[in-house]
Amino acid sequence: MSLLSARGLTYIYSQGMPTQHVAVDHLDFDIEQGEFVGIIGHTGSGKSTLVQMLNGLLKPTAGTIELDGVNIWSKPKEIRAIRFRVGLVFQYPEYQLFEETVAKDIAFGPTNMGLDAQQIENRVYDAAKFVDLKQELLEKSPFDLSGGEKRRAAIAGVIAMDPDILILDEPCAGLDPVGRDILLSQIYNYHKERGNTVILVSHSMEDVATVCDRVMVMNHAKLEMFDSAQNVFSRRDELSAMGLRVPQITSIVDSLIEAGFPLSKGVLTVDRAVMEITEFLKKEGRL
Amino acid sequence: MRDVTLGQYFPCDSVLHRLDPRLKIVSLIAFIALTFCTFNYASLGIVCAMVIAAVLLSRVPFKMYLKSLKVIIIIVVITSLLNLFYGQGEPIFEWWIFKVTWAGIHNAVFVCVRIVCLILFSSVLTFTTSPNDLTDALERLMKPLTIFHIKVHEIAMMMTIALRFVPTLLEETDKIMAAQKARGADMESGSLISRVKALIPVLVPLFVSSFRRAYELAVAMECRCYQGGKGRTRMKQLKLMKRDYISMAVSLLAIAGVVLCNIFLLSVR
Ligand SMILES: Nc1ncnc2c1ncn2[C@@H]1O[C@H](COP(=O)(O)OP(=O)(O)O)[C@@H](O)[C@H]1O
Ligand SMILES: [Mg+2]
């Protein structure tokens, strides 16, 4: 049994109105425990709508979502419990901060779960550690932090609920290159250490290629591909027809292959490309 | 959150959409006054005919009007019932503490029709006039007030900006509520106090982002050298056209009709 599975999942905005719009169209997929899944797709392809359904914020127009084999909408009154198990970090989450101190803001989720003071304190401490927020920052007002720190505080607020599945909607949007690399590695370490399932919505093919096991490709409300990152990024032409591209390093290596160099296809990271090329040069006796 | 129809612009192409907004505002005020100066069924009929004509001419789907009437249906029902049962004069029907008189029936009909006409007239104005045109027209109509040192342009600018940001704020509220719900905020159940408390996680970010937006807007306006209304010219010049004069004539005729009916026919109340 899969951890999370969707069948015929559909969402229609303003159904029955002249402005009716199908945002997610009959999706079927399964996500396993401990996977790191990426979701890519151009703007408006329905990624944010999809993830809001996965944690029960939007109720599907049709279709079902099962968490551990149980339909999440079987008991609508207890949908809050689902939101604690499937933590969702919205796009630009820093705009949701509201408490007097960062620590209190991170504690908002755990407090709503009804944990006791000691547990809450531990959760806040652990979550802050994952996103590398220093102890002295925790006592500051969230409005005095820098943009990147605010973002990390908001993510910690969701991690503190210790969800089985952590979903992040474009967590790196608007950060500088160094900031995004750091944030991405923090998310990756969280995934490795906790062994939790993580779903990452991203615009950056590089990010998705480096950290994700499997990649979902959304296009015009439909799920076009759901496969290992390597397989997905080896279908360059199909991706570019959807307005997506492959990681830069992948297209460089692909060009080298087309030029006649015997490298292996589907290289996703720079490290891997360096390895491939040095191996080739060694074999040729040029290194 | 997004179903606020009262006072919403409905873009489409009709004669009423193209009329001069100044004329529309003045006519609205005149018609509302007229609605409350109807003392017999003939004059009420003229007003109703005007409402129906306006609704039909606007080419806005009838569903939209029903939606704005839905908001006040309870008020209409309650006031009509009160009027129906507490009329003066000879009862024609009596039961328990209720007594229905002819005066009561007339009162109920007039109150009901007047409120409905009031709402429909205002809806025609807001459906057929974009918020920008509205504030623009208001600014010009209030221009004479500048001699009393009232800052007409500034007031109109504030109204334009406020109207501009209503949809933005609604969208933002939706987003923040969703984000807090994702962290387990419970806004639907609990006692009154706990529900008010549950608003804090929504209101604080909303205020913060409103101030941020206000600040950004101020900077953007200053970058374009905005400095108030003095010496400012307009991109859209308003000029009365033939259709405006025609509708003005029709309105005046209606007003004259109501006045004449009131003078020469018996008042029912
Ligand atoms: N609240 C809403 N009301 C109506 N339409 C919406 C709403 N939110 C999103 N949409 C529409 O649904 C589609 C999918 O949006 P979204 O899920 O945000 O896409 P993505 O996150 O991939 O950019 C878009 O075409 C968007 O215009
Ligand atoms: Mg999105």
Side-chain angles (χ1 to χ4, degrees):
Chain A
M1 189 175 59
S2 306
L3 177 62
L4 188 71
S5 54
R7 291 291 171 266
L9 194 58
T10 303
Y11 195 87
I12 304 177
Y13 282 108
S14 14
Q15 195 177 20
M17 301 279 285
T19 53
Q20 172 167 326
H21 183 93
V22 182
V24 172
D25 195 359
H26 288 90
L27 262 50
D28 300 292
F29 58 80
D30 295 287
I31 291 174
E32 308 300 330
Q33 162 62 35
E35 265 193 307
F36 200 128
V37 174
I39 303 182
I40 56 175
H42 60 79
T43 311
S45 55
K47 307 181 295 292
S48 300
T49 309
L50 168 63
V51 294
Q52 285 180 62
M53 279 194 286
L54 293 185
N55 88 328
L57 276 174
L58 293 179
K59 189 168 180 178
T61 315
T64 56
I65 301 163
E66 289 188 353
L67 186 63
D68 274 334
V70 181
N71 184 346
I72 64 169
W73 283 100
S74 57
K75 288 184 195 140
K77 287 234 168 77
E78 285 162 35
I79 196 66
R80 230 155 61 101
I82 300 295
R83 295 184 189 147
F84 294 133
R85 288 192 59 196
V86 185
L88 172 61
V89 179
F90 272 82
Q91 205 168 352
Y92 297 106
E94 54 272 31
Y95 295 142
Q96 77 192 25
L97 300 172
F98 70 99
E99 275 286 11
E100 288 159 72
T101 67
V102 176
K104 278 192 194 169
D105 205 283
I106 298 176
F108 183 63
T111 311
N112 285 333
M113 295 172 80
L115 301 181
D116 65 45
Q118 187 55 49
Q119 281 172 310
I120 292 176
E121 201 177 309
N122 293 343
R123 291 279 182 102
V124 171
Y125 178 80
D126 285 344
K129 215 170 64 180
F130 271 117
V131 294
D132 198 22
L133 280 178
K134 299 260 160 3
Q135 198 65 41
E136 64 263 26
L137 283 187
L138 290 184
E139 294 314 313
K140 273 196 178 182
S141 158
F143 301 108
D144 291 339
L145 303 187
S146 76
E149 287 164 345
K150 276 187 202 168
R151 174 84 48 102
R152 284 185 276 147
I155 293 175
V158 174
I159 289 182
M161 302 192 304
D162 194 17
D164 296 336
I165 304 177
L166 177 67
I167 308 178
L168 302 114
D169 194 352
E170 309 208 13
C172 298
L175 293 183
D176 57 288
V178 178
R180 54 189 305 151
D181 282 349
I182 293 176
L183 182 56
L184 202 63
S185 64
Q186 284 163 352
I187 296 169
Y188 190 69
N189 289 338
Y190 165 83
H191 166 72
K192 279 284 164 239
E193 277 180 39
R194 290 265 172 103
N196 284 355
T197 309
V198 176
I199 300 176
L200 175 76
V201 177
S202 178
H203 256 117
S204 160
M205 303 302 141
E206 277 73 21
D207 293 356
V208 171
T210 8
V211 295
C212 297
D213 304 321
R214 286 205 295 162
V215 179
M216 271 188 203
V217 182
M218 294 280 299
N219 188 33
H220 292 308
K222 292 215 164 60
L223 184 59
E224 296 289 339
M225 307 178 197
F226 189 20
D227 208 339
S228 71
Q230 208 166 18
N231 287 345
V232 165
F233 288 122
S234 63
R235 298 157 75 173
R236 184 166 52 162
D237 297 339
E238 283 167 73
L239 287 176
S240 61
M242 295 177 213
L244 301 172
R245 49 174 194 83
V246 300
Q248 270 177 337
I249 192 66
T250 312
S251 65
I252 291 175
V253 174
D254 281 355
S255 309
L256 285 174
I257 294 170
E258 272 165 36
F261 292 94
L263 305 173
S264 51
K265 253 185 142 348
V267 167
L268 297 178
T269 60
V270 177
D271 291 346
R272 177 85 206 179
V274 170
M275 245 175 61
E276 287 271 337
I277 294 173
T278 44
E279 217 164 89
F280 164 72
L281 289 177
K282 270 184 193 153
K283 245 196 287 179
E284 292 272 288
R286 297 199 212 169
L287 206 72
Chain B
M1 268 292 177
R2 285 164 201 235
D3 306 333
V4 191
T5 43
L6 201 72
Q8 212 177 47
Y9 178 49
F10 190 92
C12 68
D13 191 30
S14 80
V15 190
L16 291 191
H17 281 77
R18 274 175 278 143
L19 281 186
D20 190 307
R22 290 172 297 181
L23 182 70
K24 281 193 268 186
I25 292 177
V26 174
S27 314
L28 172 77
I29 296 170
F31 282 139
I32 287 177
L34 202 61
T35 310
F36 285 90
C37 298
T38 48
F39 300 116
N40 52 43
Y41 285 103
S43 47
L44 195 64
I46 295 178
V47 171
C48 287
M50 292 301 286
V51 170
I52 293 170
V55 167
L56 291 180
L57 278 177
S58 70
R59 291 176 62 184
V60 174
F62 202 63
K63 221 166 72 183
M64 298 291 293
Y65 289 106
L66 284 186
K67 251 191 189 170
S68 42
L69 282 178
K70 219 166 66 186
V71 183
I72 50 115
I73 191 77
I74 297 176
I75 303 176
V76 174
V77 170
I78 291 177
T79 45
S80 322
L81 283 181
L82 282 180
N83 275 293
L84 183 63
F85 293 128
Y86 293 98
Q88 305 291 316
E90 272 303 294
I92 49 171
F93 173 80
E94 214 163 346
W95 179 72
W96 195 29
I97 53 166
F98 302 113
K99 85 179 191 284
V100 177
T101 65
W102 276 116
I105 295 177
H106 293 318
N107 274 345
V109 171
F110 271 83
V111 163
C112 175
V113 173
R114 277 174 179 174
I115 299 180
V116 170
C117 287
L118 181 79
I119 296 296
L120 287 180
F121 273 132
S122 337
S123 303
V124 168
L125 177 72
T126 52
F127 284 155
T128 63
T129 320
S130 75
N132 277 340
D133 282 351
L134 264 186
T135 44
D136 205 21
L138 273 180
E139 182 180 349
R140 281 163 213 237
L141 288 172
M142 296 194 305
K143 202 62 167 269
L145 293 182
T146 35
I147 54 169
F148 301 118
H149 296 288
I150 293 174
K151 302 202 161 176
V152 172
H153 173 80
E154 275 72 8
I155 294 173
M157 181 55 92
M158 281 196 279
M159 278 170 55
T160 312
I161 292 174
L163 285 173
R164 156 66 185 78
F165 278 100
V166 166
T168 314
L169 278 183
L170 287 179
E171 199 173 305
E172 185 111 357
T173 314
D174 271 354
K175 252 190 220 158
I176 295 170
M177 272 172 85
Q180 306 300 23
K181 274 193 204 160
R183 293 204 281 165
D186 185 4
M187 285 165 216
E188 276 115 36
S189 57
S191 65
L192 190 64
I193 294 175
S194 69
R195 272 196 224 190
V196 171
K197 263 192 185 162
L199 284 179
I200 294 175
V202 177
L203 289 182
V204 172
L206 200 59
F207 272 109
V208 170
S209 80
S210 301
F211 281 117
R212 194 189 71 244
R213 273 181 212 288
Y215 175 75
E216 282 168 3
L217 183 68
V219 170
M221 284 168 79
E222 266 180 40
C223 287
R224 297 179 203 177
C225 304
Y226 176 81
Q227 38 176 235
K230 216 168 191 161
R232 211 172 152 76
T233 55
R234 301 181 170 282
M235 188 168 93
K236 257 196 284 181
Q237 296 288 342
L238 289 181
K239 201 161 159 265
L240 292 178
M241 314 283 268
K242 202 169 131 203
R243 54 171 177 265
D244 297 314
Y245 288 113
I246 294 175
S247 69
M248 216 187 287
V250 174
S251 309
L252 287 176
L253 270 180
I255 294 173
V258 169
V259 171
L260 289 180
C261 287
N262 280 340
I263 294 174
F264 291 110
L265 297 176
L266 268 183
S267 152
V268 289
R269 316 177 57 214

